[in-house]
Amino acid sequence: MKGGGGGGVSVPGKRRWRGLVIGVLFLVILSMLVPLAFLLGVHNGFHSPNPDGYVPVQHSSVSNGGKDRSTISDADIDPKNDRSHHINDIVTKLAPKFSKVHCIMLLGMLAWHCHALLVYHGLTQPAPWIAQLGHKWAVLPGFHQICNMLGVVSLDVLTKFTNGTENQTTDRNAVHSSQHKKGTSVEPHALLQPPPNTSGTNNVAKVEGTEYVKGGIDENENCELKFGSYCLWRKEHREDMKDSMVKKLKDQLFVARAYYPSIAKLPSQSKLTRELRQNIQELERVLSESATDPDLPPEINHTWLFKFCDCIHCMAEWSTLSRHIKLIFNGMIGKKSQKMEAAIVKAKSFPVDCNNVDKKLRQIFDLTEDEANFHMKQSAFLYQLAVQTMPKSLHCLSMKLTVEYFKSTALDMEPSQANKYSNPLLHHYVIFSNNVLASSVVINSTVMHSEESKSQVFHVLTDEQNYFAMKLWFFRNSFKEATVQVLNIEKFSLDYHDKATLSHMLLPVEFRVSFHNFDDSSTQDRTQYLSIFSDVHYLLPEIFPSLKKVVVLDDDIVVQKDLSALWNLDMGGKVNGAVQFCSVTLGLLKSYMGENNFDKKICAWMSGLNILDLARWRELDLTKSYRKLAREVSVGEESIEAAALRASLLTFQDLIYALDGVWALSGLGHNYGLDIQTIKKAAVLHYNGNMKPWLDLGIPRYKRHWKKFLNQEDQFLSECNIHP
Amino acid sequence: MKGMESTLYKASRVFPDCPVMATKLRAMAYNAEELVRLQKNQASYLTQLAARTTPKGLHCLAMQLTAEYFSLQPEERQFPNQQKLHHPNLYHYVVFSDNIMACAVVVNSTVSSAMEPAKIVFHVVTDSLNFPAISMWFLFNPPGKATIQVQSLDNFKWFSTKYDSTLKKHNTEDPRFTSALNHLRFYLPDVFPALNKVVLLDHDVVVQSDLSGLWSVDMKGKVNGAVETCKVNEASFRRMDMFINFSDPLVAKRFDVNACTWAFGMNLFNLRQWRRRNLTSVYHKYLQLGYKKPLWKAGSLPLGWITFYKQTVALDRRWQLLGLGYDSGITRRDIERAAVIHYNGVMKPWLDIGISKYKGYWGRHVKYDHPFLQRCNIHD
């Protein structure tokens, strides 16, 4: 391809001319075709057997303005190829509108594709479909060459420069200077149309300035719900972006690029064109010089980041992350910025073809938005993954405890006060959990705030897989004078159910419901996480036959007050003391409730902190009614969780004793907007939601209320690198 | 997208005030761009996070096998054919791993593609945490006619004294780099005092053809046989100064920045030469040096490059294909003709983030119908 271009431009004296030739050379045809081919899904047909065939045509279209356009289709594309023919038609149709401005415009698009190509090639950890996308672009003929010409270094060359941080700047300079030596004056054109990674607020758009920010915030709120603590991390990085200098600079570049094509079209303004071009180049260079990013994870930093940062366009984008940028910019940019500003002011004073500016911006916007959506999807996938998998450190802890348990079988792990387990005069707490750390925090926080830990008995109910680890953990750790018993629920439940159906509902689950909130005028769907009783909860009267009352705690809570008052409540014949959740009524949940009769106004309640009157429970034989409801013909394709939610809500619909709201505050696992004072006042904090405090994704602001009840000195914790 | 396009178009017709329109669009483009940037950062953050987690299925498997192992009588915990372990004329393969499934795939794929499995001896070394589970797995699933040995790192008394003393002092955050299992490779002559030659396989490889040809490779008196990674225009390309700090005069004096680099994954080690040249103490010297000032990046690779500097012989490239854990552009043909494929990178085939089109090459060596895997919900 290059050879072809060189054919027309080898005379040294015609440098500027050469720029035009090369520019138009690929622009007119390739630029035109690539996006079109893309749109029409015919990029395979783009494989011309003789790429050099483009050259003469391109040449003529430049020199003769519009006269030769009709020849484009005949000369360069093999008419035998149906697909090419199709493109021919399109080209011919569009030809009359084609001008140099369009060329440059389309070159912009191409540059963007180039940039995308590099990004996707360099990206070492994409989801598979990113990569496929990347490869589709890679096969487009001539793409590498175009990239070369644009001053975007091709992949092959790039790899040479993927060195350490220290060498980065010099390497990049080397690339630039080598291009200058070759005399490819097409570079300026390329620089005019980089991808949409520049902008900001400045004098030109003061009003809109506030608007961007607003848009950002809206997005933010949405993100918080979806992406957890990442948002906070993100905000920190956002600060960098707000650096006024960087913004101003980027905005200037943006404006300049928008004006450039139109100004360049005016033959009388060649001087201004040059001025603009030089300024753009200069700023591009400055932006690109500061692109090291110490904040990124090392792996990324040294594999693909550098690779694609050699691509000047990406430079500007990544550099905004960098802290270095402030230092560099503040020091050296002042002057350049002023020059640029002057050039823009001049440019603005000429009448320009509005349509072109508008069109170009539109394209930039479209492409950028597309890319954003794509990354959005990727993030959503990864977020789900982070929620559903287990941190390596927790895996380690469970394994260590299990191995240790078996190695120390000689020890008698039954404590001496086993008789306390069934003493109905004591305060019995039941915790369902498969998480050593979580249940430990629940017990520790309860004990720390109780006046009399001696009378407290904790029953940790876990599954077989975690039983041994739990057993050892609670043998090793003591909690003031409280007693802890670890029970394997699979031992109990086997008698009642077959294992297959049960395994899913051994431990309490969280049920995520989305619904329209009618009280609120907002039309947004709201999501709530309702934690519900598992099947095993309904075995409690049988597991603890001698007990009359128990308090059931979920493992994602932290206790902040003395709970003993719960034991003196007169529940007036009700069975289940729970904090009601009146923003969710049964009426709102009607899609989950099936055809049963129920009072729509009844508030939903949650598991988390519940006081159960087991004596009354047995009297009413609620277990039986629950089982009957749970077995009921399910509504369509509903999950077992949905069936359990319905059965639980219906079983207790008239038997809930509403605890005062201050007893429990929920939402610490999904709601970013909770008030610190409210958190401090609540007796129990409930981390319902995806962002559990023991996960990396936990909401940092709420994490510490949980963390402080963890004995971080523990040898096992430090050996497994657990620093929540 | 299209809707937006047409709306904008209409808008530009109706609203000919160009500068206002342009700034408006600019604002939108700015927003979209900002979004792209954030989303990208977010995606990379989350990918890092995902790489630090254990799939619940794998966790469950490990827990179950551990409990199962301890329910065995001590005499039931023995592997057969242990007399073969120190026989120097057999093919000895070494795997250091803490991952049951990965380990199982390496062993299974090697044995199933071998012509003479009876001549193969596997030495799996793991940590005390995973020792019961991995042992249990191979007691359940013996590797055909091949012999297997499972050892725990903690039984190497010499190792803890030699290594920990230097390492413990320099606790870095990332367990990947401090993992003793990862550095045990530099003590191979101590781990296997009776052997003269071993092949070290990383646990993220799959063996696809008979490897016996490796044992007759002429090593030209060198210690390490490895696949090179110094071809500039390949994705696997690495240069010495990508991991090693050549601005330090000490480094610059001793090493050539243009020396060819090589990869772990599948390495042939001549332990006799290794002992003769006392390379473990060379490694030790450099390890200590690296603690004093930042000479190289963490991880075993840069240390490997300098430890085996001038002691490495190139293996034919078809022996090992790199990059299946990060490069999604590898062709099927290349994969299928490689003797060993290496999933280096964060996208391991056992993770959900693994590159799906490569998962099959790994997955076909996993016994998905095994009751333990089914109970733990591990599916294809």
Side-chain angles (χ1 to χ4, degrees), chain A residues 312-326:
Chain A
I312 40 170
H313 309 320
C314 318
M315 277 306 180
E317 185 171 342
W318 283 94
S319 60
T320 52
L321 276 174
S322 160
R323 267 156 228 246
H324 286 195
I325 206 165
K326 284 183 192 163

Side-chain angles (χ1 to χ4, degrees), chain A residues 607-634:
Chain A
S607 130
L609 169 72
N610 301 79
I611 176 145
L612 300 178
D613 185 339
L614 293 183
R616 182 93 176 112
W617 182 318
R618 291 186 196 100
E619 220 169 274
L620 298 169
D621 203 357
L622 291 180
T623 306
K624 197 173 157 198
S625 30
Y626 170 79
R627 293 223 178 103
K628 193 165 147 266
L629 283 163
R631 266 199 307 271
E632 226 171 48
V633 190
S634 56

Side-chain angles (χ1 to χ4, degrees), chain A residues 66-256:
Chain A
K67 282 176 206 161
D68 281 334
R69 273 176 207 128
S70 56
T71 60
I72 294 178
S73 49
D74 301 318
D76 66 328
I77 301 168
D78 183 359
K80 282 171 207 154
N81 186 326
D82 282 357
R83 282 169 164 182
S84 308
H85 206 73
H86 183 44
I87 297 172
N88 278 2
D89 292 345
I90 298 160
V91 173
T92 326
K93 268 182 219 154
L94 294 175
K97 290 181 194 158
F98 211 80
S99 71
K100 204 171 85 193
V101 180
H102 287 90
C103 292
I104 297 171
M105 232 170 66
L106 285 164
L107 175 62
M109 267 183 94
L110 262 184
W112 187 84
H113 283 294
C114 262
H115 146 86
L117 173 79
L118 292 173
V119 172
Y120 287 119
H121 259 282
L123 196 65
T124 52
Q125 40 250 56
W129 27 280
I130 303 192
Q132 277 156 14
L133 220 54
H135 280 274
K136 202 152 88 192
W137 282 324
V139 281
L140 281 172
F143 228 140
H144 286 278
Q145 285 91 331
I146 296 165
C147 283
N148 269 335
M149 301 189 56
L150 289 171
V152 181
V153 190
S154 85
L155 279 177
D156 288 0
V157 183
L158 270 184
T159 46
K160 281 185 198 157
F161 297 103
T162 48
N163 296 335
T165 331
E166 305 80 13
N167 303 326
Q168 205 200 357
T169 316
T170 31
D171 283 341
R172 196 169 38 253
N173 288 341
V175 175
H176 280 280
S177 59
S178 72
Q179 277 165 351
H180 283 300
K181 269 175 227 151
K182 273 183 244 150
T184 8
S185 53
V186 72
E187 198 182 273
H189 286 262
L191 291 174
L192 296 177
Q193 310 289 344
N197 47 24
T198 51
S199 54
T201 56
N202 85 334
N203 48 334
V204 187
K206 264 171 196 141
V207 185
E208 281 73 17
T210 51
E211 224 170 299
Y212 318 154
V213 176
K214 211 171 138 202
I217 288 165
D218 286 345
E219 184 48 48
N220 225 18
E221 201 173 316
N222 193 13
C223 150
E224 280 184 356
L225 277 175
K226 284 181 183 156
F227 301 119
S229 68
Y230 175 76
C231 280
L232 297 184
W233 182 81
R234 202 180 82 169
K235 273 182 199 151
E236 281 167 29
H237 286 260
R238 225 181 149 88
E239 295 307 314
D240 288 348
M241 202 38 204
K242 281 182 184 147
D243 184 293
S244 60
M245 203 47 158
V246 179
K247 267 199 164 174
K248 195 170 173 186
L249 207 72
K250 291 185 99 191
D251 193 61
Q252 283 183 344
L253 269 174
F254 196 94
V255 178

Side-chain angles (χ1 to χ4, degrees), chain B residues 227-299:
Chain B
V227 171
E228 296 190 326
T229 54
C230 52
K231 269 206 175 166
V232 171
N233 47 11
E234 282 177 8
S236 61
F237 171 70
R238 299 280 180 277
R239 224 164 90 111
M240 290 287 268
D241 58 2
M242 286 162 83
F243 296 125
I244 299 171
N245 178 7
F246 271 86
S247 65
D248 188 283
L250 184 119
V251 172
K253 204 176 76 192
R254 292 194 198 188
F255 305 103
D256 177 6
V257 65
N258 293 315
C260 195
T261 57
W262 48 269
F264 279 119
M266 188 203 66
N267 299 69
L268 179 63
F269 284 113
N270 184 332
L271 300 185
R272 198 180 283 173
Q273 291 291 343
W274 185 328
R275 288 186 196 103
R276 207 165 67 84
R277 295 172 203 277
N278 208 358
L279 290 187
T280 301
S281 62
V282 170
Y283 158 78
H284 245 262
K285 196 180 77 194
Y286 286 127
L287 188 68
Q288 303 275 14
L289 221 55
Y291 289 136
K292 291 192 190 115
K293 46 187 174 174
L295 293 180
W296 29 76
K297 291 199 182 145

Side-chain angles (χ1 to χ4, degrees), chain A residues 124-125 131 196 199 205 211-212 230 247 251 254 299 302 354 362 366 376 379 385 389-390 395 400, chain B residues 5 8 18 24 26-27 30-31 33 39 42 48 52-54 59 129 176 297 326 328 347 352-353:
Chain A
T124 52
Q125 40 250 56
S199 54
E211 224 170 299
Y212 318 154
Y230 175 76
K247 267 199 164 174
D251 193 61
F254 196 94
E299 203 160 324
H302 292 284
C354 182
R362 218 162 56 198
D366 282 352
M376 179 86 164
S379 295
L385 201 69
T389 55
M390 185 173 203
H395 165 70
K400 244 190 177 57
Chain B
E5 178 113 15
L8 280 176
C18 173
K24 183 88 194 159
R26 190 149 53 85
Y30 173 80
N31 262 346
E33 235 168 66
Q39 299 288 4
Q42 176 164 300
Q48 294 295 317
R52 283 206 306 270
T53 62
T54 307
H59 169 72
L129 212 59
R176 249 184 325 173
K297 291 199 182 145
Y326 68 90
S328 50
M347 294 183 272
D352 287 323
I353 52 171

Side-chain angles (χ1 to χ4, degrees), chain A residues 440-687:
Chain A
S440 190
V441 165
V442 175
I443 297 178
N444 203 15
S445 63
T446 312
V447 169
M448 298 287 263
H449 295 103
S450 71
E451 317 250 298
E452 210 190 355
S453 60
K454 211 191 227 168
S455 61
Q456 290 180 322
V457 184
F458 292 90
H459 307 270
V460 180
L461 273 61
T462 187
D463 57 8
E464 190 153 292
Q465 188 188 316
N466 294 287
Y467 174 72
F468 307 107
M470 287 275 193
K471 194 94 183 150
L472 184 77
W473 178 263
F474 288 109
F475 173 72
R476 282 169 54 94
N477 292 282
S478 58
F479 302 87
K480 284 168 88 176
E481 291 173 89
T483 312
V484 181
Q485 179 191 27
V486 180
L487 290 167
N488 175 0
I489 38 179
E490 294 185 46
K491 283 252 154 61
F492 301 109
S493 45
L494 276 174
D495 311 338
Y496 299 98
H497 301 262
D498 61 309
K499 217 174 173 180
T501 57
L502 194 107
S503 59
H504 300 282
M505 278 296 291
L506 276 180
L507 295 170
V509 288
E510 266 174 12
F511 194 76
R512 211 175 108 175
V513 286
S514 302
F515 46 85
H516 277 295
N517 194 345
F518 297 107
D519 311 335
D520 244 310
S521 54
S522 76
T523 49
Q524 277 232 317
D525 273 354
R526 280 204 313 144
T527 301
Q528 289 290 356
Y529 294 81
L530 293 180
S531 50
I532 54 171
F533 278 6
S534 71
D535 291 348
V536 185
H537 277 78
Y538 292 90
L539 297 176
L540 287 175
E542 292 156 64
I543 295 173
F544 304 106
S546 62
L547 303 185
K548 296 199 173 70
K549 248 184 192 178
V550 292
V551 169
V552 181
L553 302 171
D554 277 1
D555 70 351
D556 52 355
I557 63 150
V558 168
V559 176
Q560 305 195 116
K561 295 262 162 67
D562 185 11
L563 296 183
S564 54
L566 281 176
W567 302 92
N568 305 324
L569 285 175
D570 175 14
M571 305 220 298
K574 307 281 186 188
V575 179
N576 183 355
V579 174
Q580 287 192 324
F581 206 52
C582 285
S583 59
V584 182
T585 58
L586 295 198
L588 283 172
L589 292 170
K590 61 175 181 288
S591 57
Y592 301 104
M593 300 304 287
E595 317 223 312
N596 299 283
N597 289 321
F598 57 90
D599 182 352
K600 288 186 176 146
K601 286 194 199 99
I602 288 183
C603 300
W605 56 275
M606 281 218 286
S607 130
L609 169 72
N610 301 79
I611 176 145
L612 300 178
D613 185 339
L614 293 183
R616 182 93 176 112
W617 182 318
R618 291 186 196 100
E619 220 169 274
L620 298 169
D621 203 357
L622 291 180
T623 306
K624 197 173 157 198
S625 30
Y626 170 79
R627 293 223 178 103
K628 193 165 147 266
L629 283 163
R631 266 199 307 271
E632 226 171 48
V633 190
S634 56
V635 195
E637 297 263 308
E638 71 174 356
S639 59
I640 23 175
E641 287 88 355
L645 170 73
R646 184 185 59 227
S648 273
L649 289 175
L650 291 173
T651 307
F652 288 107
Q653 75 168 306
D654 305 315
L655 298 169
I656 296 292
Y657 173 85
L659 291 178
D660 190 303
V662 294
W663 275 108
L665 176 69
S666 62
L668 280 82
H670 69 95
N671 186 353
Y672 272 79
L674 296 175
D675 174 51
I676 285 291
Q677 289 309 318
T678 322
I679 292 176
K680 278 188 184 150
K681 274 186 218 143
V684 170
L685 300 177
H686 193 176
Y687 290 77

Side-chain angles (χ1 to χ4, degrees), chain A residues 393-433:
Chain A
S393 49
L394 284 186
H395 165 70
C396 164
L397 181 65
S398 301
M399 287 292 287
K400 244 190 177 57
L401 290 169
T402 308
V403 171
E404 206 54 42
Y405 171 85
F406 286 108
K407 285 192 177 159
S408 47
T409 39
L411 298 168
D412 176 18
M413 293 203 196
E414 289 306 314
S416 48
Q417 337 85 308
N419 57 331
K420 280 183 162 184
Y421 293 163
S422 52
N423 182 348
L425 300 174
L426 301 173
H427 292 175
H428 292 266
Y429 295 89
V430 175
I431 300 159
F432 289 88
S433 178

